[in-house]
Amino acid sequence: MRRKVKDVMTKDPVVAREWMPFKEVAYLMEWNDVGALPVLDDLGRLVGIVSEADLLLKEERTGTKPKRFAIGRRRRERAKADATTARELMTTPAVTVDTDAAVGEAARRMHAAGVKRLPVVDKRGVLVGIVSRKDLLSVFLRPDGEIQHDVEEGVLHHAMWLTPADGDIHVGVEQGVVRLSGWVERKSLIEIITAMVLGVDGVVDVDNQLGFRTDDTHIKPETSPAWGVLPYALRRP
């Protein structure tokens, strides 16, 4: 079973309004023990996100001289350091993720954007939750028994259509590491099975000990020419 963002996210997140004063934003984070707040406008639309890092820029400003010709990132940071409202503090547009996105997709977006949390939106673009790195890591807390069931039923039986008669495959799981042993008919299946098992939520690694009866990796698939088109060598001058 592949978990989706909606399975691990925090629902009904604490939010800030764009007009909210700096101190109220800081208070909300402290009181609710969160590191970031989605920011909504008066119509309830997501317009940005404000994080602890944004608030700390004001503290970093203390005792430093403003640079007259600050550019790019430094200019944006300076503006946030002088901010007094959530609208001035927030990062916009916020990087978001869909409720039905896979956990892996959320992780990739976090890494690419260099953020620790993502607002979660539904198909209409309405904010429905927030997902953090901690939430995404929760997939690795799945019991080994659940992982083994998903590998045996989800991958081998339903996806690969492998039964004991087709391939004598044994599955063991310890601390999230899946050990595959036994035999499959064709060598090409081994790489496919490994890739699919690695895609199961909670799998840390795959120890593949599978053997094969036929090496089909050197066989090139035969391709037929497009309809009505003969190979050059067979054409008449």
Side-chain angles (χ1 to χ4, degrees), residues 2-76:
R2 298 297 302 276
R3 291 194 182 186
K4 298 182 178 181
V5 169
K6 63 184 178 184
D7 299 320
V8 299
M9 71 180 187
T10 298
K11 299 178 181 178
D12 301 320
V14 182
V15 300
R17 297 289 177 171
E18 57 181 350
W19 46 260
M20 192 171 285
F22 180 99
K23 280 198 171 184
E24 192 168 344
V25 173
Y27 172 79
L28 275 178
M29 285 189 186
E30 175 68 22
W31 181 259
N32 293 282
D33 192 25
V34 295
L37 298 174
V39 182
L40 308 183
D41 64 13
D42 289 335
L43 296 178
R45 297 173 300 194
L46 179 69
V47 292
I49 188 167
V50 60
S51 69
E52 290 173 324
D54 296 325
L55 298 179
L56 286 173
L57 287 171
K58 190 174 288 293
E59 184 67 24
E60 293 177 10
R61 180 194 62 179
T62 305
T64 62
K65 284 186 177 182
K67 292 186 178 181
R68 187 175 179 182
F69 299 107
I71 59 175
R73 178 180 174 182
R74 292 301 304 169
R75 179 179 292 176
R76 292 191 297 271

Side-chain angles (χ1 to χ4, degrees), residues 156-234:
L156 299 180
H157 181 59
H158 292 292
M160 301 298 298
W161 293 2
L162 290 174
T163 64
D166 300 319
D168 187 16
I169 302 178
H170 302 283
V171 179
V173 183
E174 185 175 354
Q175 296 296 315
V177 177
V178 178
R179 186 176 189 276
L180 301 173
S181 60
W183 297 86
V184 292
E185 189 62 32
R186 302 189 308 276
K187 184 179 180 180
S188 60
L189 290 176
I190 296 178
E191 186 176 347
I192 297 172
I193 292 172
T194 301
M196 295 188 71
V197 171
L198 282 170
V200 173
D201 285 338
V203 172
V204 175
D205 198 5
V206 177
D207 177 15
N208 198 323
Q209 301 294 327
L210 289 172
F212 58 90
R213 296 184 175 90
T214 303
D215 185 355
D216 62 335
T217 56
H218 63 284
I219 301 175
K220 296 182 179 180
E222 294 183 3
T223 57
S224 57
W227 180 258
V229 179
L230 289 175
Y232 182 82
L234 298 180

